Amino acid sequence: MAPVLEKRLPGAAGPSDNNNEDEEGQNLWSSILSEVSTRSSSKLPSGKNILVFGEDGSGKTTLMAKLQGSDYNKRGRGLEYLYLNVHDEYRDDLTRCNVWILDGDLYHKGLLKFAVSAQSLRDCLAVFVVDMSRPWTIMESLQKWASVLRDHVDKLKIPPEDMREMEQTMVKAFQEYAEPEDATPSSPQRRAAAAGEDEAVVLPLGENTLTRNLGIPVLIVCTKCDAITVLEKEHDYREEQFDFIQSHIRRFSLQYGAGLIYTSVKEEKNLDLLYKYIAHKMYDFQFTTPALVVEKDAVFIPSGWDNEKKIAILHENFTTVRPEDPFEDFITKPPVRKLVHDKEINAEDEQVFLMKQQSLLAKQPATPTRGSTESPGRTASGSPRPAGRAGQPSVTGGSPITAVKKPDPNMKAGAANEGVLANFFNSLLSKKTGSPGSPGSGAGVQGSVKKTEAGFD
């Protein structure tokens, strides 16, 4: 018997086809539900905190306001609050990251209790801001604010097992650092754990690495790096000084497992890089920038990249200092230069000057001179003058020769001139005492002059 073939109409559906459609519908709904649950679980967490420490005038508030996208010129006191908008472009999610800025005065360090608690510590990032325009304050500032944070963490009285877990998380993150790879456009913004990542081989920590583990990530930000050129011109800083500063900061960073970045708000240098690195450390965003150590004013060293051998490369250029020398002995504060304003000197009017001199001359006392009426036969002391040589006639007191007095060598030039002039006028007056027509008057004078000359010979 021949087989019977059953012919189906084109619009008819069998029971197997209905089952397939039901399965596809269930799979569609399950995929939608799983996607929604995945999105809800992958939302950006809220409650993250950035703790900012630094000296007054270091630019910490200006820096954070610049990352926020606003020009914040007001300076607060105590504990300032800002926030950063964090946007996940891949998930189209937005959240806010709290920023707490502690005042540079240690008097306000107790206000940290309002920003950090034992429950919120694991969601914090510590940022130490130092001022590159005053490099002699860098290490002292780092040590002071790290000590403030350590004291506050100890006061929180976190259970030892929780603190140990946080410290181990920091050690693991430091050891598992790998050079970032360029992100492809199709790759998600948030990093996905690679297969077998937990089984990756990690290297042991160095001798001076994470010796002061705070249990939270730490970042050191050097502000005002545009002042490096000013230090070179005004204070004669050289490459050796800048390498010495960088080596000390990097060795300090190793102790806390911290990252390091040089920034400049004035030149807007490394600001975008700083924002991306903060988002990477706080929200595990993908980060593709490697370490930058070539430019001395744009250094960037992520946490986990550095070690003692890499820092030793800076020591090769040291000629006048050793790596272990104290920081404050080589990077000293320059002496304060007092501004001396030169007084403007105005020339005095010529007529005014001459009138002043005239008044001064008029106030001077007249120089005493010997009068013509004084007896020539006596000295100044009143004793009789010794007799002249034999045969020498005495000269009468009316003679003009006796009236002229030689100037005293000890007398000043002005006074001597006045005395000569006085004697001259006295001699003229003595000449006029005799009548012009009297006989022998002129001969007597001439004879006395000749005799006097003979006596001098």
Side-chain angles (χ1 to χ4, degrees), residues 431-442:
K431 281 183 180 182
K432 293 181 180 180
T433 53
S435 60
S438 59
S441 60

Side-chain angles (χ1 to χ4, degrees), residues 390-434:
Q392 179 179 357
S394 61
V395 181
T396 60
S399 173
I401 301 300
T402 59
V404 177
K405 180 183 176 183
K406 292 184 179 181
D408 190 356
N410 297 327
M411 189 182 301
K412 294 183 179 179
N417 293 335
E418 292 179 1
V420 172
L421 291 174
N423 293 336
F424 173 72
F425 286 113
N426 289 332
S427 65
L428 291 179
L429 293 174
S430 63
K431 281 183 180 182
K432 293 181 180 180
T433 53

Side-chain angles (χ1 to χ4, degrees), residues 60-104:
K60 51 185 182 294
T61 303
T62 305
L63 176 67
M64 290 299 158
K66 197 71 174 178
L67 295 182
Q68 189 186 38
S70 62
D71 295 330
Y72 186 83
N73 298 323
K74 297 181 180 179
R75 179 187 173 191
R77 296 289 295 175
L79 186 65
E80 297 181 71
Y81 173 79
L82 296 175
Y83 64 87
L84 300 180
N85 289 319
V86 181
H87 184 211
D88 189 347
E89 297 178 357
Y90 178 74
R91 302 289 182 184
D92 194 17
D93 193 10
L94 181 67
T95 188
R96 287 183 176 181
C97 181
N98 303 315
V99 180
W100 304 91
I101 305 174
L102 185 64
D103 193 276

Side-chain angles (χ1 to χ4, degrees), residues 353-365:
F353 171 76
L354 293 176
M355 293 192 62
K356 287 183 179 180
Q357 298 302 319
Q358 184 180 8
S359 61
L360 291 175
L361 291 175
K363 293 179 180 179
Q364 291 181 356

Side-chain angles (χ1 to χ4, degrees), residues 203-221:
L203 298 176
L205 296 177
E207 182 180 357
N208 297 321
T209 305
L210 281 172
T211 55
R212 300 180 180 181
N213 193 344
L214 294 174
I216 60 174
V218 179
L219 178 61
I220 298 175
V221 180

Side-chain angles (χ1 to χ4, degrees), residues 248-268:
H248 272 261
I249 298 177
R250 287 169 63 176
R251 282 190 288 181
F252 180 88
S253 301
L254 278 182
Q255 297 177 1
Y256 291 88
L260 171 64
I261 185 170
Y262 284 20
T263 63
S264 172
V265 174
K266 181 179 180 181
E267 299 179 354
E268 296 187 356

